[in-house]
Amino acid sequence: MSAESREAAAVDGRPGVPDWLRRAATLNELWTFVILVALVAFFSVAAPGKFFTTYDITQIAVNAAIYLVLGVGMTFVVITAGIDLSIGSVLVLAAVAAGEYNLHHGGPDSGWGTVAICAVIALAVGTAWGALQGAVVASGKVPPLIVTLGGLGAALGIAELATGGQDPAGAASTHLQNSLGFGKVLGIPWMVVLAAVVTALFGAVLAGTRFGEHTLAIGSNPTAVRRAGIPVGRHLVKVYGLMGLLAGLGAVMWLASYGTTSIAGHSTDNLKVITAVVLGGTSLFGGRGSVLGTVIGVFIPAVLTTGLIVIGVQQYWQDVAVGVVLVVAVYVDQLRRKTRERA
């Protein structure tokens, strides 16, 4: 820091902050990557020859694919200083809607035409639910936490009413499972390829388009954005609609992987995804974040879960570990925010 900068800080009553500390506080992706490398190193030492094998790497990537798609949408939401607790239930609702259509149009033996219609149904249901929540947040001035908490219960309840609380058999076509679910291209699972395409696409949208600029600006200072003539409410509807769209895509990916809706299997999806997004450096206070950081953040819980399984830790402790990681991530986010303010 120059002498002039130190003097200005002293005049403002703020302590001078070294340049290296200020730069370190902004390198969110680097810090997240260091944590990821440390976890890989720990489990590799704790379970030599059993962790980070080719099989493990492939499984981690496949298991992380759906959460990565959800994490991309959540990144946009959190950057606006919002939150979406309903993503697991929206995924279930979209999967149930698509699965019920498939069940009544051929079941496991349904053709590609039915597969395409099921995919459209899942995407449409997810987008509509997300946009509805965004409209309530924007026009009703209801906090996103409350809106999406209500959406969590409502979406899951509708899914349970439609199925009687039971996962319908024949919810996915064999064609869908054999291609997207289990298929590979150049040795890479299609699930991973799809997640990578979604990540690259919306990473570019956030970093290099007006939509991304408006998203970041709304999270930083919504009042100033309104004064600049940008329709904040309409943009929030689009952001939450995007989250719903990607939850619908996650439903298609889930059906392809598991062939069932897994109604009771998504209660902690929101915890895992929000953890990944915050670990990736997206601030819960809004205005800052990147899809690249989310990519790294998604793999931390994935590596953590796989590593704990390999070393024989009970499944229940895995949820405890993810919860602790989330609290630590939020604490670190607050420290970085204070450091930037002092800088």
Side-chain angles (χ1 to χ4, degrees):
M1 179 180 287
S2 65
E4 292 81 1
S5 298
R6 287 194 296 269
E7 289 174 2
V11 170
D12 292 338
R14 298 173 299 172
V17 178
D19 287 340
W20 67 268
L21 181 57
R22 185 172 61 253
R23 288 194 299 269
T26 61
L27 294 177
N28 302 313
E29 293 86 356
L30 177 59
W31 284 113
T32 308
F33 185 70
V34 168
I35 294 172
L36 178 61
V37 171
L39 283 174
V40 171
F42 170 77
F43 288 121
S44 297
V45 172
K50 297 181 180 179
F51 182 77
F52 215 57
T53 62
T54 302
Y55 174 79
D56 283 335
I57 295 173
T58 301
Q59 288 302 114
I60 289 172
V62 171
N63 292 338
I66 295 176
Y67 296 113
L68 180 55
V69 169
L70 297 176
V72 170
M74 187 67 75
T75 301
F76 281 80
V77 171
V78 175
I79 284 177
T80 66
I83 201 76
D84 191 345
L85 300 179
S86 69
I87 54 172
S89 295
V90 176
L91 186 154
V92 168
L93 180 60
V96 165
E100 286 292 331
Y101 183 88
N102 187 81
L103 181 64
H104 293 90
H105 292 81
D109 299 323
S110 59
W112 283 111
T114 299
V115 171
I117 294 174
C118 287
V120 171
I121 289 173
L123 296 175
V125 168
T127 303
W129 194 274
L132 175 61
Q133 293 187 146
V136 174
V137 170
S139 61
K141 308 301 181 183
V142 182
L145 179 70
I146 302 302
V147 172
T148 59
L149 183 61
L152 181 156
L156 184 60
I158 293 173
E160 290 175 332
L161 286 170
T163 61
Q166 302 297 319
D167 294 310
S173 168
T174 302
H175 291 304
L176 178 64
Q177 289 195 273
N178 289 339
S179 54
L180 178 59
F182 308 129
K184 296 182 179 181
V185 54
L186 301 177
I188 304 174
W190 274 112
M191 291 280 288
V192 177
V193 173
L194 178 57
V197 170
V198 170
T199 300
L201 174 62
F202 288 102
V205 168
L206 180 60
T209 69
R210 183 172 298 180
F211 184 84
E213 291 175 0
H214 289 177
T215 301
L216 290 161
I218 288 171
S220 298
N221 194 333
T223 302
V225 172
R226 287 190 181 93
R227 290 174 179 172
I230 298 173
V232 173
R234 188 183 306 170
H235 191 87
L236 288 175
V237 172
K238 293 178 182 178
V239 168
Y240 282 88
L242 172 61
M243 178 71 260
L245 172 69
L246 295 180
L249 180 58
V252 176
M253 297 170 71
W254 187 273
L255 288 171
S257 295
Y258 302 101
T260 181
T261 52
S262 299
I263 292 175
H266 297 275
S267 59
T268 60
D269 283 1
N270 50 11
L271 173 64
K272 294 176 182 177
V273 173
I274 294 170
T275 300
V277 171
V278 175
L279 277 174
T282 299
S283 175
L284 285 173
F285 300 97
R288 178 173 55 84
S290 72
V291 172
L292 174 59
T294 296
V295 172
I296 302 172
V298 163
F299 280 98
I300 290 179
V303 168
L304 184 62
T305 299
T306 302
L308 291 174
I309 292 174
V310 169
I311 64 177
V313 175
Q314 286 186 345
Q315 179 181 356
Y316 306 112
W317 283 108
Q318 298 168 27
D319 293 334
V320 172
V322 172
V324 171
V325 168
L326 174 59
V327 173
V328 172
V330 174
Y331 177 71
V332 172
D333 178 45
Q334 289 181 320
L335 290 180
R336 288 189 299 207
R337 181 167 175 260
K338 291 178 181 178
T339 300
R340 285 193 304 274
E341 289 175 349
R342 289 197 300 268

